[in-house]
Amino acid sequence: MITAFGRFIAMLAGDPLADRSVPPTGYTARLTLFTSGAMAFLAVFALALSLATGRLADRWSAELARTSTLRISAPADQLDAQQAAAIKLLETTPGVASARALSAEEQQELLEPWFGPDIPIASLPIPRLIEIIEEGDGYDPTGLRARLQAEVPGAILDDHTRWREPLIDAAGRLRLLAVTAILLIAAAMGAMITLAAQAALSANAQVIRVMRLVGARDLYIAGAFVRRFTIRAFAGAAAGSIVGMLAVLLLPSTEVAGGFLTGLGFQGAGWFAPLCIPVLAAVVAFFATRAAALRTLRTQS
């Protein structure tokens, strides 16, 4: 490991004589800088999406896992009695911290997004809803359903399992999509840097031929290209990452966006995550340029 690190430092230090074989300017330099910068900019947003979907899955799981809803559907003259019986039963159920019947105003707020603000709650046969808050390891849903069926026949327990699992699965798929996007961005950047390195090697074929005549080996020549393109990729990715972080910082906050994206961006230590992108770009450029340089030099020999 120490030997590999020493080689990496030596590669960064470079050799002035070998560096002359690599054009310091030109379209290959601009292409490398632009490609790494643009890809890093996109990678910042893909990384922000990945972290945001992680927070989204955690929030959905936390909000739905500890709550349940009991729905009571019964004739109007039995609703009050069954509601009281259900609350009494829930208060004696292990794992239930509290049970509270929703008021008519709260039920109207729940229905308002679907039916509008003028829905006549009092004149509609709407079932009673009881909010259940769990504690500790939670309650036994199978046993609770059996007790409810015997004592409150009009009660239906919804432990939010059928809602929680698809939502968490969707958040996980979004996270996988973001990670896949980052990998595709890295692959595209590697391909573009490979093409730029091959173009630079072809443009400097005569200089490389002269260096070979004076005894330079292919690894020595390739090292100059690897160093120059690695530094260019790192510089371009660093600039693109900074611009991307500023763009993420300027996005609307969670309150302005309505909470749908739970704050698409970085929070706390997450702001250090984009700093890995320039390093990743340098690693991709190192291996892509090294492979392209050695392959091209073999064909020119």
Side-chain angles (χ1 to χ4, degrees):
M1 181 177 180
I2 297 177
T3 304
F5 181 75
R7 291 177 180 176
F8 181 75
I9 296 299
M11 185 274 295
L12 292 180
D15 188 328
L17 295 177
D19 287 348
R20 295 177 183 176
S21 62
V22 186
T25 58
Y27 77 94
T28 57
R30 292 191 295 269
L31 177 62
T32 304
L33 289 171
F34 174 77
T35 300
S36 57
M39 293 302 176
F41 181 84
L42 297 176
V44 169
F45 281 92
L47 185 60
L49 175 62
S50 177
L51 295 177
T53 51
R55 293 193 300 270
L56 185 65
D58 293 340
R59 191 189 72 174
W60 284 343
S61 179
E63 289 183 354
L64 294 177
R66 309 302 299 174
T67 61
S68 303
T69 302
L70 186 66
R71 184 174 74 252
I72 300 177
S73 299
D77 58 344
Q78 299 180 15
L79 277 176
D80 292 337
Q82 292 206 24
Q83 175 180 298
I87 292 178
K88 183 178 180 181
L89 185 151
L90 291 170
E91 290 176 347
T92 60
T93 300
V96 175
S98 63
R100 181 182 65 88
L102 299 185
S103 64
E105 292 75 13
E106 290 175 317
Q107 294 195 64
Q108 183 168 0
E109 290 180 1
L110 293 175
L111 296 174
E112 185 174 324
W114 307 98
F115 300 102
D118 300 326
I119 177 174
I121 291 287
S123 60
L124 294 178
I126 296 177
R128 300 286 179 87
L129 298 179
I130 298 176
E131 181 186 42
I132 304 172
I133 306 297
E134 301 178 26
E135 64 179 359
D137 296 332
Y139 59 84
D140 177 18
T142 303
L144 180 58
R145 286 190 175 95
R147 292 181 61 193
L148 289 170
Q149 185 176 7
E151 301 182 32
V152 190
I156 300 176
L157 177 65
D158 182 5
D159 59 1
H160 299 166
T161 300
R162 62 170 181 161
W163 302 102
R164 182 172 66 252
E165 292 181 352
L167 291 176
I168 296 176
D169 182 63
R173 291 179 182 271
L174 284 174
R175 182 186 298 177
L176 178 61
L177 178 63
V179 173
T180 303
I182 294 175
L183 295 177
L184 290 176
I185 289 171
M189 183 174 64
M192 293 300 297
I193 292 176
T194 298
L195 294 175
Q198 290 176 342
L201 285 161
S202 299
N204 290 268
Q206 293 182 354
V207 176
I208 293 173
R209 191 175 299 112
V210 172
M211 294 179 67
R212 281 173 168 166
L213 291 175
V214 298
R217 296 183 177 182
D218 286 351
L219 287 176
Y220 178 80
I221 300 171
F225 283 88
V226 171
R227 173 180 177 274
R228 184 66 62 84
F229 278 88
T230 299
I231 293 175
R232 289 173 182 170
F234 181 84
S241 299
I242 292 174
V243 175
M245 292 172 69
L246 291 175
V248 170
L249 186 62
L250 295 176
L251 288 175
S253 63
T254 305
E255 292 76 13
V256 177
F260 176 72
L261 294 177
T262 65
L264 178 59
F266 307 102
Q267 296 180 2
W271 282 102
F272 291 99
L275 300 180
C276 299
I277 294 177
V279 178
L280 177 62
V283 172
V284 171
F286 176 84
F287 288 103
T289 307
R290 182 180 176 85
L294 293 177
R295 183 171 58 251
T296 304
L297 289 172
R298 282 195 297 265
T299 59
Q300 291 180 354
S301 59

